[in-house]
Amino acid sequence: MVMFSLLMQHVAQSGSDVAAAAAADAGSSPIFWFIVLGYFAVVLGFGSYFARFNKSTSDFFFGGRRFSWWLITMSIVATGVGSHSFLKYSGKSFEHGFSGSMAYMNDWFFMPLFIFGWLPIIYYMKVRSIPEYFERRFNAKVRALATGVLLMYMLGYVGIGLLTMAKTLGPILGDSWSLMEIIWVVAVVAGVYITFGGQTAVIFTDLLQGFILLFAGIILFVLGLNWFGGFDAFWNTLPAEFKLPLSNFNDDPGFNFVGIFWQDAVAGSIGFLFMNQGLVMRFLACRSVDHGRKAAAFNILFALPVSAIAVSCAGWIGYGMMTQDPTLVSPDTDPDTVFVIVTRILTTKAGFGFFVAAVTAALMSTVDTLINAISAVFVNDVYEPISKLRGIQHDDKHHLKVAMVASAGATVIGVGTAWSFSLFDNLYEAHGFFHSTFTPPLVACIFMGIFWRRFNTKGAMATFLAGTVMIILGRLLPHELIEPIAHGVPSIDPETGEALSAPFKYIGALYNLMACFGSGIVVTLLTNKENKDLEGLTMFSLTAARRMFKGSEPNDRVGFPQTVTYKLDTSLPLGAVRMDREAMNHLAAEQGDLAYICDKRKWLGGLRSAHAYFDGVHNSGETVLLAQDVYDNGHFLPGKLLVVEKEF
Amino acid sequence: MDEYPDFDRSWLPYIYLYGVGGIFFLGGMLLVFKSKACDWTRASHRRWAKVLIFGYFWYAAIHGALIYSALNV
């Protein structure tokens, strides 16, 4: 999503449009502001309510690993859709047709390696951050490299998010506010919220946001179809090429299929599923690996196609309107403004306020997720290792305080990066360069680390260092290094015939990946095998990972969940629960097996639940006895029934 | 945009997407079976393997149907 300020400025500049003038006028309407501020109050209040469920760093970062798949799916929708999507994809779709949203529909190819590889590895090995995996798989130096790269990447993203939100609000607040003043206000709101809210607040805010964003997008599509007089009228308005879901193969250097395939379907998909710390933390917040799999699968199979319609439909509708009434939507319309123009045409001032609030608050979802992820990486990969080196041990309460301070610190540094990005003429290209330079080494390292046992520490270091050097060389020498593998994508502007200043911006991802994977493979093959214990760290040893997670052999006998009342038993050891013999038989559970205890009301999505282990049997009938910490962590309510399941 | 799209514009990207993408997908599937990360003796793993294969054809069907509709309807 491009910033709303730019939009409003663009909209105002294309003042020949009736809709543009109406859109610019909406910002001065009281009903518009009532809707916008009311929306923010509801969303923040909703998330803040759930902040009281934080009692430990596990709660703060991972929501206590308790949530059901559907809840995580919807919160992922808000995080994924919440950043640039509505304006960016509406613009692309206005220019290029249905293919403008093809990046939403090409994420399935690496799912086998995620579902059966990365997800169970990070879950069972209790990897709290991506750099932590690098130390376990390689060594502390690789972890330090990964930490630095990941922190710079995420702080840059926070800066982009804050700047985007500030520019969104800029034209509405008027000239009395400078950009930096707005950035500080936005940062304080987002920072205070995440500092005290933690992951549980983020998940529940994003749950609400996910539903609202999809609902808003689909409503817009329905209103658009209604404007045309039905789907058939809309469909028949559009030319055949506009309706194709995949773009031209290699003709257009600015938007070609083959480049976007390598940049998005390959590099982007791996990056999204494997190295997005915010997303990884969402999956770790699931109650089990199976629920994480369901969340990922449902998100990609069903939520993403619906999201593609939601974020792109304004572009399709706008193009159809342009062909029918060029005075309403001009052929010269800046694509970045089409979302606002179409939304304003199809809605009232109040409705327009709702859409602006939804997409602006969606940016907060993205920023919140990133700040929480930065805080997790700081505590796990900077603070704890340094404390260990100094021989100091801290308890969980101390780490929780550090996490809160880190969240606040990340917000302040984010303001600094927002300021530096505000100095660029074109911040998206600057950030794009930053993004595409730093992510391929991480992606390549994770990918080879989980499925190639021979991949060693020297190979990982080469992936980071030599890979980055080669990526920079590719930028400097695009014709020599990238053009031979560019699949015929031209390096000249087809309209002017002049050489592009930054050619191969999409297909360059193929070169970047080859550079990083190639560096890692060559150095690994040229150096000695490592004699390192990789149990649980590659997809070849997942059985061992499950055993390590449980602490004993898994019990995979099929049992049946039991619905019971509960009692607190302070004499039980920490983490323990007890049931009667008959219930244990129905559960097919043995002493020491892992248990999941959850409020019977499924719509809570696991909010009131806890993990424990079975510690023997009792003779008190259909009741589960809970240790003090299980009772506390579960947030169970008096008189409510619980469902007890054996995990394994 | 008024011209009827040729093969390079319509079906070639589709073939490339599910051809090259299919190689990555198939490679991933072979790897999860070879590594025994997908344990065929466990019912839940069998179900997930089927979901993965379904997902590949689900998207291939969506894209195929959209291209067919764009060209023929």
Side-chain angles (χ1 to χ4, degrees), chain A residues 169-219:
Chain A
L169 297 169
I172 302 170
L173 292 170
D175 296 336
S176 56
W177 290 71
S178 72
L179 190 68
M180 280 312 293
E181 285 171 335
I182 303 171
I183 286 174
W184 272 112
V185 171
V186 167
V188 167
V189 173
V192 167
Y193 172 64
I194 189 63
T195 298
F196 295 106
Q199 182 75 323
T200 306
V202 171
I203 286 172
F204 275 87
T205 306
D206 284 8
L207 170 72
L208 183 66
Q209 288 273 87
F211 279 115
I212 290 174
L213 286 171
L214 290 188
F215 173 75
I218 297 301
I219 287 289

Side-chain angles (χ1 to χ4, degrees), chain A residues 215-236:
Chain A
F215 173 75
I218 297 301
I219 287 289
L220 193 66
F221 190 45
V222 171
L223 290 173
L225 295 181
N226 188 51
W227 188 91
F228 285 96
F231 182 80
D232 284 349
F234 163 71
W235 187 255
N236 293 329

Side-chain angles (χ1 to χ4, degrees), chain A residues 32 53 76 80 114 117 155 160 171 215 233 236 302 325 347 378 382-383 386 449 453 484 535 539 552-553 571 595:
Chain A
F32 172 88
F53 287 83
I76 290 171
F114 178 76
L155 284 167
I160 288 282
F215 173 75
N236 293 329
F302 303 109
D325 184 358
T347 60
F378 180 80
V382 180
Y383 190 79
I386 290 174
R453 283 174 290 194
E535 284 266 283
M539 58 192 295
S552 60
E553 280 301 316
S571 68

Side-chain angles (χ1 to χ4, degrees), chain A residues 173-505:
Chain A
L173 292 170
D175 296 336
S176 56
W177 290 71
S178 72
L179 190 68
M180 280 312 293
E181 285 171 335
I182 303 171
I183 286 174
W184 272 112
V185 171
V186 167
V188 167
V189 173
V192 167
Y193 172 64
I194 189 63
T195 298
F196 295 106
Q199 182 75 323
T200 306
V202 171
I203 286 172
F204 275 87
T205 306
D206 284 8
L207 170 72
L208 183 66
Q209 288 273 87
F211 279 115
I212 290 174
L213 286 171
L214 290 188
F215 173 75
I218 297 301
I219 287 289
L220 193 66
F221 190 45
V222 171
L223 290 173
L225 295 181
N226 188 51
W227 188 91
F228 285 96
F231 182 80
D232 284 349
F234 163 71
W235 187 255
N236 293 329
T237 301
L238 306 174
E241 191 168 339
F242 189 90
K243 292 185 276 193
L244 287 169
L246 303 172
S247 65
N248 73 88
F249 188 74
N250 60 1
D251 294 343
D252 182 356
F255 194 75
N256 53 78
F257 165 79
V258 71
I260 291 169
F261 173 81
W262 286 101
Q263 188 255 350
D264 191 87
V266 179
S269 294
I270 301 174
F272 180 72
L273 283 169
F274 290 75
M275 67 147 279
N276 184 324
Q277 173 72 23
L279 201 70
V280 162
M281 288 165 70
R282 290 296 163 82
F283 289 121
L284 293 178
C286 287
R287 53 175 274 196
S288 67
V289 168
D290 213 45
H291 276 248
R293 286 170 172 149
K294 281 182 192 169
F298 192 87
N299 180 54
I300 296 180
L301 285 178
F302 303 109
L304 282 184
V306 176
S307 302
I309 296 172
V311 300
S312 306
C313 66
W316 311 335
I317 300 288
Y319 186 88
M321 287 174 167
M322 184 189 76
T323 59
Q324 295 217 338
D325 184 358
T327 60
L328 191 61
V329 178
S330 163
D332 299 327
T333 299
D334 183 333
D336 288 342
T337 68
V338 78
F339 173 78
V340 171
I341 289 176
V342 168
T343 305
R344 188 64 193 95
I345 290 171
L346 296 174
T347 60
T348 60
K349 279 183 184 174
F352 186 59
F354 167 73
F355 277 92
V356 169
V359 294
T360 310
L363 274 163
M364 194 170 282
S365 298
T366 307
V367 171
D368 287 345
T369 301
L370 282 163
I371 292 175
N372 193 242
I374 289 169
S375 167
V377 170
F378 180 80
V379 171
N380 290 313
D381 304 300
V382 180
Y383 190 79
E384 276 190 30
I386 290 174
S387 297
K388 264 187 192 171
L389 276 178
R390 295 171 62 195
I392 305 169
Q393 275 203 327
H394 298 292
D395 62 9
D396 196 60
K397 275 191 176 173
H398 178 83
H399 284 143
L400 189 59
K401 281 182 189 164
V402 173
M404 290 182 172
V405 173
S407 294
T411 310
V412 173
I413 297 172
V415 171
T417 57
W419 172 78
S420 61
F421 277 125
S422 72
L423 301 178
F424 283 92
D425 286 339
N426 186 336
L427 65 92
Y428 285 100
E429 286 212 356
H431 185 254
F433 174 81
F434 181 76
H435 179 271
S436 61
T437 304
F438 283 98
T439 54
L442 276 169
V443 162
C445 234
I446 290 172
F447 212 61
M448 289 193 282
I450 62 170
F451 75 73
W452 191 26
R453 283 174 290 194
R454 174 79 168 77
F455 187 50
N456 60 21
T457 305
K458 286 175 181 161
M461 296 286 278
T463 305
F464 272 105
L465 301 175
T468 303
V469 169
M470 288 184 70
I471 288 171
I472 292 168
L473 280 176
R475 298 274 178 182
L476 298 172
L477 303 167
H479 297 289
E480 292 79 3
L481 296 175
I482 303 178
E483 194 156 18
I485 55 167
H487 288 64
V489 174
S491 59
I492 55 168
D493 188 324
E495 288 180 7
T496 63
E498 292 176 5
L500 294 165
S501 58
F504 314 122
K505 64 179 178 182

Side-chain angles (χ1 to χ4, degrees), chain A residues 106-149:
Chain A
N106 57 17
D107 291 304
W108 194 255
F109 301 119
F110 296 96
M111 278 295 275
L113 294 173
F114 178 76
I115 293 241
F116 284 114
W118 186 230
L119 178 61
I121 287 172
I122 55 173
Y123 199 96
Y124 290 139
M125 296 305 288
K126 298 179 182 173
V127 174
R128 293 160 68 98
S129 69
I130 291 168
E132 186 185 333
Y133 174 77
F134 283 91
E135 175 159 3
R136 293 205 207 174
R137 178 67 176 80
F138 306 108
N139 65 16
K141 285 181 185 169
V142 180
R143 178 184 190 167
L145 270 176
T147 302
V149 172

